[in-house]
Amino acid sequence: MSLTTATTATPAKRKEENKTWQRFKKHRLAMFSLAVLGLLFFVSIFAPLIAPFSPTLNETSNTWAQPGGRHLMGTDDLGRDVFSQLLYAGRVSLLIGVAVALLSALIGVTLGTIAGYYSGQPVIFSVGLRSSLLAEQQRLEGSSFWWKNGLKWLVWASVIAFTLLVTSQFAATYSGVGVVIAWLVGVGLSMTIAYFAFVQAIVVDIDNIISRFIDVMLSLPQIPFLLILSGLLANPDVKLGGVLDSIFGSARPIVLIIFVLVLFGWLGTARVIRGLVLSLRQREFTDAAKALGSSDWRVMIRHILPNAVAPIIVQVTLDVGNNIISESALSFLGYGIPRDIPSWGNMLSSAQEAIFQNPLASFWPGLFILLTSLSINFLGDGLRDALDPRSRL
Amino acid sequence: MLLYTSRRLIGMIPLLLAISMAIFGLVQLQPGDFIDELKLANPKMTVDDVARLRHDYGLDQPWYVQYGKWLSKAAVLDFGVSRENGYISATEYVFQQRLQNTLTLTTMSFVLSLLVGLPIGIYAAVKQYSILDYVTTFLSFVGYSVPVFWLGIMMLLLFGAKLKWFPTDGMQSEGVSMTVESDEKFDLNGQVLSVSKNAQGQPVITVGVYNEATKLEEPKAVTLPAGIQNYPKMGDYVSLGQAMGSRVTLQSWLNATKDALWHLVLPVIALSLIQIASWTRFMRASLLEVVNQDFVRTARGKGLAERVVVYKHALRNALIPIVTLVGLSIPGVLNGAVLTESVFNWPGMGTALLSSVVQKDYNVAMVILMMLAIATLASNLLADLVYALVDPRIRYN
Amino acid sequence: MKKKWLTAFGVMALGAVALSPSVLASASDNSLILGTTQQPSALEPFVNNQAISAEVLGWLYAGLTYFDQNGTLQADLASEVPTEKNGGVKLTKNAAGDVTAQTIRWNIRAGAKWSDGRPITTADMKFNYDVFGDERLPVSSRDNYPKTMKVIDDNTFEVTYDPPYLFATAAPSFVQNFIAPAHIWKPLWDKATASAQGKSKEQQLEIIQKDFLGASIATSKQGPVVTSGPFKFQKWQRDQSWTLVRNPNYWRNNPQMVDRLIYKFFQKTDTLQVNVLAGQVDATSSVGLVASATTIKTLKDSAKGLYSVFTPKTALWEHWDVNQFSQVQEVKDLGLNDVRTRQALVYGIDRETVTRDLRGGTARVSNNVVNSLSNVFTTQGINNYDYNPEKSKQLLTAMGWKPGSDGIMERTVDGKTVKFVLEYVTTAGNAVRERDQQFYKDNLKKIGIDVKFNNAPSSVVFDDAFIAQASNGKWKGLFQFAYVQQPLTEDLGLYYCDDPASKTVKDNVPTVDNGFAGQNIGGWCNAEFDSLWDKARREFDVDARKAILAKAQVIWNRELPAIPLYERTDLYTARNGLLNYTWNANTRYPSNLGWLVGWKQRGAKETIPMK
């Protein structure tokens, strides 16, 4: 995985792109998958034109009908046409798959890059007045130092205020010695923060924090945690859910699922990107850019990221399939998308009921999920091959 | 090294505090509490009842106050009781009743998926773009895309209900036990007042038996047969027709083990199928990456047999990232597998966590989530230390 | 390499087949294996109120009285049901002739014994009364708890209800119907309360939970060793199974009853269903299968003479509560507080089709808040509201609604055009309900009403902050759920508004003024209904009460404080040959008449037909 295309001139870049496309075209399976995916997207987007029935048209005297006759793939629990539902469901499932993958990639790449880039170089969150770092920071940042650091102090002051607020509420629930202890702990904590923020310095290893956070998150079992999160967003006292509601209206369940899946989705990407950036930042072109006075952000965006495009694309493609499956698992547990908005996941889990009566009913949505994840995977393989000529994978 | 380790260990404390606070906050911010569930079951509850119970259980306090209380107890390793499991301590529930079941299921399927997935992955890489490569890729994706809840029910239907090859009823057949009950049965009812041994080494228990005529409790000594095990302890109740004790025999042990294995087959296979898919993919990718590297080409160039090149040079190097991945996945076996467990009726960690969240039995959720966090941090530390031992370039001080 | 593995698999599979034990044969050893989807959290008879606990405790403990299938009260541990006639019930009346208190004298059946042979005495009753009344015990409700208890001798005691409680003889044993043996529980109680002495309230509660409610005789460690019902406890394998054996000391020990009862716990209904098909369970518990059309059909189709499928009537009443608080904008716009709108809604939905096609023809369309099994239930003057979209449209037109360009009704309220978009809330994850919901949405669309779902998991919608706050517009239209509509207690009390006896205004309507208390969550108020309800609850004469309640039902049916959908049924299977294993809205659990359950092959006689 070693591309150094990014820093070269534009014509060369275009040529490289052309070559990539040429290589990709040779990957027949990937081309075929692209066609299948294209078809899936096409029929989903144009579902209203293609579907023989309205997805909500029910006929309760004809539930779980076998495929054939009027209903190409049979009917579901309300006697609705499964084929038409699948087409409409594709809109939701593909949207979830793609949106979650893209958002996860965005967050994962950002945090992964930051973590990798700053690994081993602690970041200064506040410089106190008696800190040994003071002089050096002042020299480095010059006139902007005071307002920048002032802002940081303001943030820490509000953290302290919050700590004291919590302490007072805490103390109010105790009596006797408990009050004293609560105040001792609260004030002690505040003073410690104050000491480091205003007198010494708060220096944090960002990489350490992000990496440990990812480790811990990855250790948590996803599904119960997804339930906790969906419960949290459904809590009327937690305003976030209400905000989502007012913005997205009837699309809220879809947005909620996307939100919840992204929370876990970015972890893997971030981990991969961090490792990659760790090695990329040692490379000559990074050093060169730094020597020329580029800022950290510029180095990350202009020099390091373009070299990580291949693994990012592969990661995104693989994620799409995963997300569609995760949504079906949530639907199975009753925390997915309500059944009046068809998705492949909730169709599959509702067909579960008829597993004894009409096993084919669960075959169809399963088939669509399989087709999507399979072809996206082959597409990812093809892209990897095309973008990285050294590996034939 | 020792210094480094202890520094890391100390560093874990604030991290664990932060984690526990985050988890506790999340869990407490779930809508409703178990009082709502009580209310549902009993619509006659008045508002005062609800307020009284909320107050009794301390649920009317803000989450950070509850956290403080939780923390001050957790500091002395008291994680509270599991309300949904008969008020036994949450740690006892998790570690004694659930952990072992999960470990059996997940380690077996973990090992099985490695044993099956890696060879297939190697084969697919060596014969890249062959029919077999495509077939295994396809199959691994089928395994990957078929949701386990669907697959599980299908397997139960086919192998359980139709063919009757495997059981459908969870972890153990009714009536199968590691021990056999003694033939000697009690012929009285009452509480065990004391337990002692007689001169022959036979246990003697004294039971307080109620005398209908005098309406008094009279102690009665019962001598148990020699060599008996698991006989009643002081404070237990014995009743008419109850076996005096039990013992483990080879036959009963074999029966119980056979029964357990027999119950394991379907869930292990269902759970492995997903993992096999990903190991196959990883192994194939890793090997293909190595095969194209310079040192392998050199080896080929030297005229070594393809077999030797692949299995001796390439595979060895390709296995390094796999080993790292395996290491990273090990804490995952503690998670349990909630979907598999619930379909196959397997009482493991996954379902314990899920039901504790659903039933708002949060002490259990906290124990499990904290255990997972600690396991992850510990395995990270261990990995770093092992690297240091293996790689002489890394030195900690 | 692969071949080897295949071979290994083959060997494993074959080995496993060879291991499989013989198929169960329950009737042959007179045992009964039941499948359920819930496991009791604990088996203490004080605090726990899960449905499954009520069922399993029913096998273990006898109450003073019980209900038979017809809803008649029968004596169990009591020697007879106390009535005014036999002198067991004494009413205290004031000058106006109103009953102000009632005293009930109970006689314990002579020879009633615990499973360990000790007699059941008033000491047991006293102990239970004291424990249940102790405020440190977190019981869910002490409503209608007797004010005093007096022990007269070993077999006789008196309890006094002040204020009086109409159904006191039916709920004799201090709210819960199970009496725990004092000789087993009292030492634990004394120990727990002693160590709780002088501690803070919270610590006391914790000690009582751990040492008393969590005692080994309440949990899987040992189980309830001494019982009073047809069975005694044998073994509890946590998360797996639960074994009971016959209690020969039960006064009504029936030789034809099954000897052993095994509960198997399943986490998912689907898995339970597979086990029914595989013949691994003989019958399913009242907490198990879900009565949907598909499940009923599937089970019937694959029965093949092995088992039969039953759908007993339950006390569950599915309905829509309708927000009628006029301060909520949507309510005003849509006119939900106008009875014509509610009538239009009920005429506009095809409840008949839902019960037939979606609930497998088992549910019963309801037009009344009173359960059809109740002896005060009336059909006189009750409108059936048969599906009639034309009538709906007429009612809506009369209220000024006209179809808009998209077919959705529109009207002008306060100079502003509003569309008929109705919010519809129910519990997410309940497949059967969500299916109803989609069907009704379609129905209502046909009369020009657009429906917007706002479902959430039951923990959210049943949270006080949601369900009780219709007045704040937390939910703005319909809310579908089920009440337990016990035939005995009638539950007209759900929809009263103001209790004339209390000083508070609108006691039963949750608003900010009363701290969101009360069950009349839609906020319907009708003075005549309130006064009838108030009269009935103090009327101890059965026929007079019937007359009052018949009037109240007619008002309810006409005014529709809520929209009745149907009375639900349960679903269970039972292996052919199993007899008297059933329940209905009166008995509620199969264990209620547990001593009758037996196998035909073992000589049991059918006394209650299974439905």
Side-chain angles (χ1 to χ4, degrees):
Chain A
M1 311 225 178
S2 52
L3 277 181
T4 41
T5 55
T7 43
T8 48
T10 330
K13 202 171 167 182
R14 186 159 303 140
K15 207 170 150 200
E16 182 68 29
E17 274 167 9
N18 252 328
K19 263 193 192 160
T20 308
W21 175 237
Q22 292 297 331
R23 278 198 299 268
F24 183 78
K25 272 206 296 195
K26 275 194 208 140
H27 201 300
R28 272 181 304 168
L29 199 53
M31 285 301 286
F32 181 70
S33 300
L34 190 64
V36 172
L37 265 183
L39 187 69
L40 283 172
F41 272 93
F42 179 83
V43 295
S44 300
I45 291 166
F46 295 101
L49 302 175
I50 301 166
F53 293 92
S54 153
T56 53
L57 181 74
N58 63 49
E59 190 188 346
T60 52
S61 54
N62 186 27
T63 57
W64 300 123
Q66 298 291 338
R70 271 191 322 132
H71 298 287
L72 187 62
M73 295 180 181
T75 60
D76 71 356
D77 57 343
L78 274 172
R80 293 170 294 205
D81 183 56
V82 168
F83 178 63
S84 310
Q85 286 233 322
L86 278 171
L87 298 186
Y88 280 91
R91 297 173 152 196
V92 173
S93 290
L94 291 172
L95 171 72
I96 289 174
V98 172
V100 174
L102 289 180
L103 286 172
S104 306
L106 188 71
I107 299 172
V109 168
T110 312
L111 290 180
T113 311
I114 291 175
Y117 191 81
Y118 288 111
S119 180
Q121 310 169 10
V123 174
I124 297 161
F125 272 99
S126 168
V127 180
L129 290 171
R130 318 211 74 190
S131 163
S132 52
L133 288 171
L134 187 70
E136 200 196 337
Q137 272 314 97
Q138 253 175 320
R139 188 178 55 78
L140 276 175
E141 292 184 4
S143 56
S144 70
F145 171 77
W146 284 109
W147 69 264
K148 275 188 184 165
N149 208 45
L151 264 180
K152 291 175 183 171
W153 280 347
L154 221 60
V155 171
W156 288 110
S158 42
V159 169
I160 292 168
F162 182 71
T163 314
L164 290 173
L165 183 81
V166 170
T167 309
S168 68
Q169 299 213 21
F170 225 120
T173 63
Y174 285 106
S175 58
V177 194
V179 181
V180 181
I181 294 175
W183 276 111
L184 276 180
V185 171
V187 172
L189 196 65
S190 312
M191 281 172 65
T192 318
I193 297 174
Y195 175 74
F196 281 105
F198 304 129
V199 181
Q200 291 293 323
I202 295 183
V203 181
V204 175
D205 187 346
I206 292 190
D207 174 42
N208 210 351
I209 291 183
I210 295 179
S211 302
R212 285 295 99 80
F213 182 73
I214 293 174
D215 286 344
V216 171
M217 286 290 279
L218 282 175
S219 78
L220 297 175
Q222 281 206 22
I223 287 170
F225 221 78
L226 292 181
L227 291 198
I228 294 182
L229 287 173
S230 0
L232 192 69
L233 293 175
N235 186 346
D237 296 336
V238 175
K239 297 290 177 280
L240 186 59
V243 172
L244 289 178
D245 201 4
S246 60
I247 301 174
F248 297 103
S250 60
R252 179 183 74 149
I254 301 173
V255 178
L256 272 188
I257 289 285
I258 292 177
F259 185 83
V260 160
L261 288 178
V262 167
L263 276 175
F264 268 97
W266 62 273
L267 301 168
T269 316
R271 203 179 232 184
V272 170
I273 298 300
R274 175 185 171 269
L276 205 66
V277 172
L278 264 182
S279 76
L280 286 175
R281 73 168 184 179
Q282 314 283 352
R283 299 279 272 279
E284 305 83 0
F285 61 83
T286 315
D287 291 338
K290 272 192 200 161
L292 287 172
S294 299
S295 71
D296 285 353
W297 287 108
R298 200 182 153 78
V299 175
M300 280 188 251
I301 294 169
R302 293 297 297 260
H303 301 281
I304 291 184
L305 273 187
N307 285 295
V309 165
I312 293 173
I313 288 180
V314 173
Q315 191 73 31
V316 169
T317 52
L318 282 176
D319 274 357
V320 174
N322 277 350
N323 298 329
I324 294 176
I325 295 166
S326 300
E327 190 268 317
S328 75
L330 279 181
S331 292
F332 172 70
L333 293 168
Y335 283 75
I337 293 176
R339 189 62 184 82
D340 60 312
I341 307 173
S343 78
W344 292 336
N346 67 22
M347 289 183 70
L348 185 70
S349 60
S350 88
Q352 171 109 22
E353 189 198 35
I355 214 159
F356 308 91
Q357 201 174 331
N358 184 357
L360 269 183
S362 38
F363 169 77
W364 301 113
L367 180 73
F368 274 67
I369 294 176
L370 175 66
L371 270 183
T372 312
S373 67
L374 200 59
S375 46
I376 281 183
N377 175 66
F378 286 134
L379 188 70
D381 271 6
L383 279 174
R384 183 158 36 187
D385 279 8
L387 288 166
D388 184 357
R390 243 181 26 126
S391 152
R392 283 191 298 118
L393 179 73
Chain B
M1 191 82 175
L2 199 66
L3 189 72
Y4 171 78
T5 314
S6 46
R7 243 180 41 204
R8 279 282 296 266
L9 283 175
I10 292 170
M12 271 186 198
I13 295 173
L15 194 56
L16 280 175
L17 277 178
I19 294 171
S20 67
M21 190 143 124
I23 296 176
F24 194 90
L26 274 180
V27 166
Q28 288 297 325
L29 283 175
Q30 292 291 295
D33 48 43
F34 78 91
I35 309 291
D36 289 316
E37 315 243 307
L38 288 183
K39 222 172 49 183
L40 248 153
N42 184 355
K44 298 256 182 287
M45 272 175 87
T46 64
V47 174
D48 294 337
D49 286 329
V50 172
R52 166 178 58 87
L53 285 177
R54 286 234 162 87
H55 183 76
D56 283 357
Y57 284 104
L59 296 172
D60 50 351
Q61 292 157 344
W63 72 268
Y64 44 83
V65 175
Q66 295 189 46
Y67 173 71
K69 287 184 176 161
W70 177 86
L71 189 64
S72 58
K73 283 191 188 145
V76 291
L77 297 180
D78 173 5
F79 289 91
V81 295
S82 166
R83 195 178 25 77
E84 285 299 324
N85 292 285
Y87 305 97
I88 61 170
S89 90
T91 40
E92 183 189 332
Y93 171 63
V94 171
F95 292 106
Q96 288 177 20
Q97 298 189 0
R98 290 299 181 119
L99 187 59
Q100 197 196 344
N101 299 344
T102 272
L103 283 180
T104 320
L105 177 66
T106 49
T107 43
M108 280 188 78
S109 49
F110 189 62
V111 171
L112 181 69
S113 58
L114 284 179
L115 287 178
V116 178
L118 297 187
I120 295 180
I122 294 167
Y123 198 87
V126 174
K127 299 270 158 84
Q128 198 193 2
Y129 299 133
S130 67
I131 296 289
L132 209 119
D133 181 25
Y134 286 129
V135 170
T136 53
T137 305
F138 178 75
L139 284 183
S140 66
F141 265 87
V142 173
Y144 204 64
S145 315
V146 175
V148 67
F149 54 83
W150 187 83
L151 183 76
I153 289 282
M154 281 313 218
M155 285 169 80
L156 281 177
L157 266 182
L158 181 62
F159 299 110
K162 277 252 157 60
L163 299 170
K164 299 207 191 301
W165 288 1
F166 297 102
T168 50
D169 58 346
M171 226 174 61
Q172 200 173 41
S173 295
E174 173 51 34
V176 174
S177 158
M178 276 279 177
T179 56
V180 272
E181 291 187 345
S182 63
D183 294 333
E184 301 84 0
K185 312 276 190 234
F186 286 110
D187 57 353
L188 40 73
N189 288 310
Q191 189 175 14
V192 178
L193 303 174
S194 66
V195 180
S196 59
K197 291 226 160 136
N198 68 7
Q200 287 81 40
Q202 288 171 292
V204 178
I205 62 172
T206 314
V207 180
V209 181
Y210 179 76
N211 185 326
E212 243 173 283
T214 59
K215 300 201 169 174
L216 286 173
E217 193 176 77
E218 293 166 358
K220 245 187 202 164
V222 182
T223 310
L224 304 183
I228 200 157
Q229 278 168 349
N230 305 321
Y231 50 85
K233 299 180 299 295
M234 202 173 113
D236 285 355
Y237 293 82
V238 299
S239 59
L240 206 74
Q242 182 191 329
M244 287 186 171
S246 60
R247 56 173 71 85
V248 183
T249 65
L250 183 64
Q251 188 59 38
S252 68
W253 186 87
L254 274 178
N255 273 341
T257 313
K258 256 194 228 168
D259 184 66
L261 287 175
W262 185 51
H263 278 81
L264 262 168
V265 177
L266 290 185
V268 165
I269 291 178
L271 187 53
S272 314
L273 278 180
I274 320 165
Q275 296 174 357
I276 288 174
S278 40
W279 288 123
T280 308
R281 302 306 297 157
F282 285 139
M283 188 67 238
R284 179 178 176 273
S286 177
L287 188 55
L288 283 178
E289 176 112 18
V290 173
V291 163
N292 294 307
Q293 275 180 13
D294 295 339
F295 73 91
V296 179
R297 281 180 208 176
T298 316
R300 276 210 189 95
K302 281 199 298 189
L304 289 176
E306 186 64 18
R307 250 188 109 74
V308 180
V309 173
V310 171
Y311 291 113
K312 196 157 175 206
H313 296 265
L315 187 56
R316 269 196 185 177
N317 285 285
L319 277 175
I320 293 173
I322 299 290
V323 169
T324 316
L325 266 178
V326 170
L328 282 173
S329 326
I330 286 177
V333 301
L334 293 172
N335 280 352
V338 61
L339 295 176
T340 316
E341 285 174 12
S342 69
V343 168
F344 288 99
N345 205 31
W346 197 268
M349 300 280 277
T351 45
L353 179 56
L354 183 70
S355 58
S356 68
V357 170
V358 172
Q359 299 170 330
K360 307 182 196 312
D361 191 6
Y362 295 140
N363 284 339
V364 172
M366 284 306 292
V367 168
I368 297 179
L369 292 172
M370 286 312 291
M371 181 202 77
L372 293 174
I374 292 172
T376 311
L377 294 181
S379 70
N380 280 342
L381 174 60
L382 212 65
D384 287 351
L385 293 179
V386 170
Y387 275 136
L389 286 178
V390 174
D391 190 339
R393 281 173 304 180
I394 303 174
R395 277 279 167 269
Y396 293 118
N397 43 41
Chain C
M1 199 135 197
K2 212 178 162 210
K3 246 185 210 158
K4 251 190 232 162
W5 280 109
L6 278 176
T7 330
F9 260 130
V11 170
M12 260 175 80
L14 280 176
V17 176
L19 292 176
S20 58
S22 60
V23 182
L24 296 157
S26 299
S28 64
D29 68 345
N30 204 14
S31 66
L32 171 63
I33 299 181
L34 299 175
T36 177
T37 48
Q38 241 186 38
Q39 176 177 220
S41 61
L43 282 177
E44 38 78 20
F46 302 103
V47 172
N48 195 321
N49 62 357
Q50 292 168 294
I52 188 67
S53 307
E55 180 179 312
V56 296
L57 287 170
W59 300 107
L60 291 176
Y61 293 99
L64 288 165
T65 54
Y66 69 95
F67 280 105
D68 66 12
Q69 287 277 103
N70 307 319
T72 315
L73 202 57
Q74 306 279 6
D76 194 344
L77 292 181
S79 55
E80 62 177 342
V81 180
T83 58
E84 261 185 285
K85 222 187 231 163
N86 66 22
V89 177
K90 282 199 195 84
L91 301 178
T92 315
K93 292 184 183 169
N94 62 10
D98 291 337
V99 179
T100 55
Q102 119 217 66
T103 301
I104 297 168
R105 174 184 284 242
W106 289 98
N107 273 306
I108 299 171
R109 181 178 293 278
K113 278 181 202 163
W114 294 107
S115 60
D116 61 357
R118 295 188 189 219
I120 298 173
T121 68
T122 43
D124 295 310
M125 304 294 164
K126 179 78 175 127
F127 170 71
N128 280 269
Y129 175 83
D130 288 344
V131 169
F132 203 85
D134 193 302
E135 62 160 7
R136 287 169 296 186
L137 201 73
V139 299
S140 55
S141 170
R142 289 194 187 86
D143 213 14
N144 302 318
Y145 197 62
K147 200 169 181 184
T148 57
M149 173 178 185
K150 200 165 90 193
V151 172
I152 297 184
D153 60 38
D154 266 4
N155 292 312
T156 315
F157 68 98
E158 276 182 1
V159 279
T160 303
Y161 292 82
D162 179 12
Y165 179 43
L166 256 177
F167 312 108
T169 49
S173 61
F174 330 120
V175 181
Q176 310 240 27
N177 204 29
F178 311 113
I179 299 147
H183 64 282
I184 303 290
W185 283 91
K186 193 155 192 302
L188 292 167
W189 176 251
D190 292 344
K191 216 175 103 192
T193 45
S195 63
Q197 204 75 51
K199 300 263 168 62
S200 77
K201 178 89 198 283
E202 210 176 318
Q203 286 166 323
Q204 292 201 18
L205 194 88
E206 217 164 274
I207 290 169
I208 284 174
Q209 269 183 34
K210 252 192 190 155
D211 296 347
F212 183 69
L213 299 174
S216 64
I217 55 169
T219 63
S220 55
K221 282 185 192 152
Q222 198 175 3
V225 284
V226 175
T227 63
S228 57
F231 287 90
K232 61 180 182 177
F233 174 85
Q234 192 182 40
K235 195 173 66 178
W236 185 349
Q237 263 180 305
R238 191 83 219 167
D239 304 312
Q240 292 287 311
S241 66
W242 205 66
T243 312
L244 311 179
V245 291
R246 169 190 295 271
N247 169 15
N249 280 326
Y250 180 51
W251 70 273
R252 191 161 24 190
N253 187 10
N254 168 14
Q256 276 85 44
M257 184 183 77
V258 293
D259 279 331
R260 230 156 56 98
L261 195 67
I262 296 134
Y263 267 89
K264 299 217 79 165
F265 307 122
F266 296 94
Q267 294 164 14
K268 291 209 72 76
T269 314
D270 298 309
T271 317
L272 172 61
Q273 211 171 322
V274 172
N275 277 274
V276 169
L277 297 178
Q280 292 274 340
V281 297
D282 294 323
T284 61
S285 134
S286 67
V287 185
L289 302 171
V290 179
S292 79
T294 310
T295 315
I296 294 172
K297 186 171 185 309
T298 306
L299 286 170
K300 281 191 173 157
D301 286 352
S302 9
K304 296 189 190 103
L306 182 72
Y307 58 84
S308 304
V309 179
F310 302 98
T311 50
K313 280 188 181 154
T314 63
L316 287 170
W317 175 64
E318 198 77 23
H319 72 289
W320 289 345
D321 263 309
V322 184
N323 190 337
Q324 292 158 58
F325 290 96
S326 54
Q327 70 264 36
V328 176
Q329 188 64 40
E330 284 80 356
V331 173
K332 214 163 68 186
D333 290 349
L334 305 184
L336 295 176
N337 48 355
D338 187 320
V339 64
R340 287 175 294 172
T341 313
R342 300 195 294 274
Q343 284 175 345
L345 287 174
V346 74
Y347 276 123
I349 54 174
D350 190 354
R351 298 175 295 167
E352 211 46 66
T353 298
V354 170
T355 53
R356 190 186 59 233
D357 289 346
L358 302 184
R359 302 223 172 207
T362 60
R364 180 187 186 283
V365 173
S366 162
N367 288 298
N368 197 334
V369 66
V370 174
N371 189 290
S372 57
L373 279 182
S374 172
N375 61 358
V376 302
F377 175 76
T378 183
T379 50
Q380 213 80 60
I382 297 285
N383 188 342
N384 281 340
Y385 294 113
D386 293 324
Y387 182 46
N388 190 346
E390 283 317 308
K391 184 115 188 194
S392 293
K393 281 188 195 155
Q394 283 166 21
L395 284 161
L396 291 175
T397 313
M399 292 186 66
W401 293 99
K402 281 190 194 71
S405 54
D406 53 356
I408 302 301
M409 293 286 194
E410 287 174 358
R411 72 169 181 178
T412 311
V413 180
D414 303 338
K416 180 175 63 121
T417 305
V418 291
K419 276 177 160 296
F420 208 132
V421 182
L422 184 60
E423 192 193 67
Y424 186 163
V425 175
T426 194
T427 49
N430 182 327
V432 183
R433 246 179 224 154
E434 286 181 309
R435 191 149 45 221
D436 284 3
Q437 199 185 22
Q438 293 170 61
F439 182 79
Y440 290 139
K441 178 180 183 167
D442 219 50
N443 276 172
L444 292 174
K445 192 134 205 184
K446 285 181 189 143
I447 55 169
I449 295 175
D450 193 16
V451 170
K452 199 180 95 196
F453 295 162
N454 188 15
N455 299 351
S458 55
S459 57
V460 178
V461 294
F462 291 130
D463 189 1
D464 275 341
F466 188 85
I467 188 170
Q469 298 205 13
S471 55
N472 277 347
K474 281 282 166 74
W475 54 277
K476 306 178 184 82
L478 310 176
F479 192 153
Q480 178 178 351
F481 64 104
Y483 272 123
V484 180
Q485 192 193 38
Q486 284 176 359
L488 171 81
T489 48
E490 296 132 9
D491 285 330
L492 279 166
L494 288 174
Y495 291 100
Y496 82 90
C497 169
D498 185 37
D499 181 355
S502 84
K503 274 185 217 132
T504 358
V505 188
K506 294 195 178 182
D507 320 67
N508 198 32
V509 174
T511 56
V512 68
D513 302 325
N514 66 359
F516 300 104
Q519 294 196 287
N520 187 351
I521 56 172
W524 177 75
C525 280
N526 182 303
E528 197 187 349
F529 183 88
D530 284 1
S531 88
L532 288 170
W533 165 78
D534 180 49
K535 249 197 247 163
R537 68 173 167 162
R538 283 180 289 112
E539 182 55 70
F540 279 73
D541 179 71
V542 178
D543 291 328
R545 274 188 67 236
K546 260 192 193 168
I548 297 169
L549 291 176
K551 260 193 225 162
Q553 288 171 64
V554 171
I555 295 173
W556 195 96
N557 172 269
R558 189 184 63 225
E559 296 292 323
L560 294 175
I563 292 176
L565 298 173
Y566 29 74
E567 290 173 8
R568 263 160 56 182
T569 54
D570 277 346
L571 167 67
Y572 75 95
T573 63
R575 194 186 286 271
N576 293 337
L578 186 66
L579 294 179
N580 306 326
Y581 176 86
T582 189
W583 64 92
N584 67 8
N586 287 315
T587 57
R588 296 187 62 195
Y589 304 107
S591 54
N592 225 343
L593 307 171
W595 68 92
L596 294 169
V597 176
W599 292 101
K600 198 174 177 186
Q601 295 92 315
R602 310 282 301 191
K605 296 275 174 305
E606 183 175 75
T607 41
I608 335 160
M610 288 158 70
K611 277 186 202 150

